[in-house]
Amino acid sequence: MTEENNEKSGAENLSRRKFIRNSSYAVGGLAVGGVLGSVIPWGTEDQDQQQQAAKQVKNYNNALMYFSQAEFQTVQAAAERIFPEDDNGPGAKELGVGFYIDHQMAGSYGFNARDYMVPPFFHGEKEQGYQGRLKRREIFRIGLREMQNYSHQKFKKGFTEIAEDEQDKVLSDFADDKVNLSTISASGFFDMLRSMTLEGVYSDPLYGGNKDMDAWKMRNYPGDQMNYTEIIADDNFQEIEPRSLRDHM
């Protein structure tokens, strides 16, 4: 190898080493800016801005799995009248009860997966509950449609468009079987709607309702605690922050 080639090769090696060295500095800078930078309080955002950004994180549990948008709006409005917002705290709508009911209709509960659904079907007594071939998801869809029909018949508007006292009247007429339906029981549908509304209010947020555990907080209910061994022998009343099943992961 000639002297000229040796010099050229040495220059290339120096250039390559310089590039690698500079690249490592750049990577190190990214590490400091990306990892350590997220830990070091640089003062670019105040605490309020950070909290606001955290609140804007999307809740992917708030997604429809069964209802149409129109059906969902009707469910929300009806549930809100059953469990309305008041001075004690939020109502069914803000607590996400509509999503809870939607998810239940899309799952095994809505399909009556654990119920005996083989004919023949007989007309049972009211105390026996529902006796028939329709699945809960089908009953709910029919019930919502009949609520809209009855609302138009009585008040010339859809259920979501009428005043709250008029909505209460529609729900009361269903509860008292004053609405004549050929396919389902009006009171049976209302009982299911009311029961599922309360379930959505007080169930674990994992299932779509009880947003931020606010319903538990209204009743000072501790939620899903693993144990109470630290306070069980204490005679003094203890306030415990509620926990969801998600908090144990």
Side-chain angles (χ1 to χ4, degrees):
M1 184 178 292
T2 64
E3 183 177 349
E4 182 181 352
N5 289 337
N6 285 335
E7 291 178 357
K8 184 177 180 180
S9 176
E12 290 177 350
N13 289 335
L14 285 173
S15 178
R16 188 178 298 111
R17 285 195 294 271
K18 184 177 180 181
F19 171 77
I20 293 172
R21 182 189 64 190
N22 291 341
S23 298
S24 66
Y25 289 159
V27 172
L30 289 174
V32 171
V35 179
L36 295 181
S38 64
V39 178
I40 299 173
W42 297 104
T44 56
E45 290 184 345
D46 59 28
Q47 189 174 2
D48 291 338
Q49 289 176 322
Q50 294 173 359
Q51 290 176 349
Q52 186 65 26
K55 289 181 180 179
Q56 294 175 352
V57 175
K58 293 181 179 179
N59 183 356
Y60 290 98
N61 205 22
N62 289 356
L64 295 182
M65 300 178 182
Y66 177 65
F67 291 137
S68 67
Q69 282 291 340
E71 291 169 337
F72 178 69
Q73 296 300 325
T74 305
V75 167
Q76 281 205 122
E80 182 68 17
R81 297 313 305 147
I82 294 172
F83 194 92
E85 179 182 6
D86 59 18
D87 294 338
N88 295 314
K93 182 177 180 179
E94 187 176 341
L95 289 169
V97 170
F99 290 107
Y100 169 83
I101 297 176
D102 172 78
H103 296 177
Q104 292 299 309
M105 292 298 106
S108 59
Y109 181 81
F111 281 98
N112 293 65
R114 298 184 180 182
D115 296 344
Y116 185 79
M117 299 289 290
V118 179
F121 299 104
F122 300 97
H123 179 71
E125 298 297 328
K126 188 173 182 179
E127 292 76 13
Q128 292 178 298
Y130 173 69
Q131 308 284 318
R133 68 177 70 250
L134 291 175
K135 297 179 175 64
R136 292 186 185 94
R137 65 202 324 252
E138 296 168 334
I139 295 173
F140 235 93
R141 180 153 279 169
I142 294 171
L144 294 175
R145 184 177 67 241
E146 294 294 351
M147 277 179 57
Q148 289 284 22
N149 292 340
Y150 187 70
S151 177
H152 277 285
Q153 173 189 336
K154 199 168 185 67
F155 301 108
K156 311 304 179 185
K157 293 181 181 179
F159 185 82
T160 57
E161 300 171 320
I162 59 180
E164 292 180 350
D165 60 331
E166 294 171 335
Q167 291 177 339
D168 292 344
K169 176 60 177 172
V170 170
L171 292 172
S172 296
D173 287 352
F174 268 76
D176 297 334
D177 270 326
K178 293 181 179 179
V179 185
N180 295 321
L181 304 179
S182 58
T183 51
I184 63 173
S185 162
S187 62
F189 166 69
F190 174 80
D191 290 343
M192 187 186 302
L193 173 62
R194 180 182 183 277
S195 176
M196 297 201 70
T197 296
L198 295 179
E199 288 176 14
V201 168
Y202 293 115
S203 66
D204 192 287
L206 178 70
Y207 299 104
N210 191 12
K211 183 180 178 182
D212 297 329
M213 297 179 282
D214 283 342
W216 288 349
K217 293 173 184 176
M218 282 190 283
R219 290 186 171 272
N220 292 322
Y221 179 67
D224 185 66
Q225 301 288 331
M226 292 299 289
N227 60 68
Y228 300 91
T229 54
E230 295 182 359
I231 63 172
I232 196 169
D234 195 336
D235 294 333
N236 297 320
F237 177 78
Q238 298 278 350
E239 288 191 11
I240 306 174
E241 282 294 315
R243 301 187 70 185
S244 164
L245 291 168
R246 178 66 177 80
D247 296 328
H248 299 302
M249 294 183 64

